[in-house]
Amino acid sequence: MTVVNIVTVQGGKLVSRATLSDDGTVTYVGDAARSAVRRWLHAHPGRGEADAVRALAAAGWSNGYLMVKRD
């Protein structure tokens, strides 16, 4: 399982989450994670939702207000 937690840049408050299960299913809590995945997919045509979640977990993401929490 891969989890991408989206937190606020200031304070680190959890606002959204994307979870990639072992069977390839992606589930979302909140809209920010879904938006980050959509942006990644737009920039990487032909790739899948699971690829996006794995890439965001590995490389991170930020829009200046929200970011991927890296462990």
Side-chain angles (χ1 to χ4, degrees):
M1 178 175 8
T2 302
V3 177
V4 173
N5 290 314
I6 305 290
V7 298
T8 59
V9 169
Q10 290 188 1
K13 179 182 175 188
L14 180 66
V15 296
S16 188
R17 172 180 292 138
T19 303
L20 172 61
S21 65
D22 294 335
D23 68 359
T25 304
V26 178
T27 55
Y28 298 95
V29 175
D31 294 328
R34 185 182 309 269
S35 177
V37 165
R38 279 193 303 246
R39 285 178 180 255
W40 190 93
L41 289 170
H42 181 73
H44 299 87
R47 303 292 296 272
E49 193 176 20
D51 296 325
V53 173
R54 284 191 287 269
L56 291 170
W61 166 86
S62 177
N63 67 2
Y65 301 99
L66 301 175
M67 66 182 188
V68 170
K69 180 181 179 188
R70 308 283 307 272
D71 292 328

